[in-house]
Amino acid sequence: MQVSIGTGQRNRIRDILIVSITLVVFGIIMILISYFQLNKGANWVPLKAKIVEMVSRYSGTSTTYDVYVEYTYNNELYPHQLLDTYVAGMQMKQMIDIKVNPNCPTEFMYAAAELFNVLYIVGGCLIGGGILMPSIWIPIKIHKRNTQQIKNEEQRKN
């Protein structure tokens, strides 16, 4: 007895594979972003910076925030520097951790590694889901199709 996969079944399998590949690609992108961000500041100097201004911008239904900080490096004040990251709960005059490039002190980044560790975890979950999805759903779809074809053939014989 030969069991074949119909066109509709192939389209569903193709859709599952497309979603799966998309999840894996986004997972890889998230992991690469966090890897490069964590390694970018590996040799940079950790400092404390004070939030001196927060500017909110409304665009449609979303709000974005520009956070400006000031910090001192090698006894030189760097006022009103735009921070690369906004985290919910940041407040004026709050002290935050940053890392400063010793070769170019105006280059700095938010030093909260937890943010980038979350990207590692989310990226890993997306990759795992992208790999598991076809290994679970495709056999189920094929089994359902095969079962239906066997039932149809048995009904024709009777």
Side-chain angles (χ1 to χ4, degrees):
M1 165 174 49
Q2 182 179 2
V3 179
S4 63
I5 298 175
T7 305
Q9 190 73 16
R10 272 189 235 124
N11 288 342
R12 282 186 233 128
I13 290 171
R14 183 197 67 218
D15 293 345
I16 290 169
L17 289 174
I18 289 171
V19 170
S20 173
I21 290 168
T22 303
L23 288 175
V24 170
V25 167
F26 278 115
I28 290 170
I29 290 170
M30 290 183 122
I31 287 174
L32 288 175
I33 288 170
S34 63
Y35 174 78
F36 287 119
Q37 278 298 102
L38 286 172
N39 287 329
K40 174 183 175 183
N43 297 322
W44 290 11
V45 178
L47 293 176
K48 291 284 186 182
K50 181 168 73 171
I51 297 175
V52 293
E53 184 180 6
M54 295 178 70
V55 178
S56 61
R57 291 189 311 259
Y58 302 100
S59 59
T61 58
S62 65
T63 304
T64 57
Y65 295 91
D66 289 336
V67 178
Y68 294 90
V69 298
E70 71 178 22
Y71 57 92
T72 303
Y73 179 70
N74 284 341
N75 295 323
E76 188 172 338
L77 179 66
Y78 293 88
H80 209 259
Q81 301 291 313
L82 179 62
L83 186 65
D84 62 346
T85 306
Y86 168 75
V87 177
M90 285 183 164
Q91 301 174 12
M92 292 290 295
K93 298 183 182 178
Q94 178 184 359
M95 297 301 287
I96 61 169
D97 294 320
I98 63 169
K99 287 186 175 183
V100 175
N101 182 349
N103 300 322
C104 179
T106 57
E107 186 179 0
F108 69 101
M109 62 184 261
Y110 185 56
E114 306 87 42
L115 179 68
F116 300 111
N117 288 335
V118 168
L119 288 180
Y120 266 123
I121 294 168
V122 171
C125 290
L126 287 175
I127 291 171
I131 291 170
L132 286 176
M133 181 186 291
S135 65
I136 293 171
W137 285 104
I138 290 175
I140 289 172
K141 295 287 185 188
I142 291 173
H143 177 72
K144 284 182 179 179
R145 176 70 180 180
N146 292 347
T147 304
Q148 186 61 39
Q149 284 181 346
I150 292 169
K151 285 181 184 176
N152 289 344
E153 286 180 21
E154 287 176 358
Q155 288 175 353
R156 276 186 242 142
K157 288 180 183 177
N158 293 336

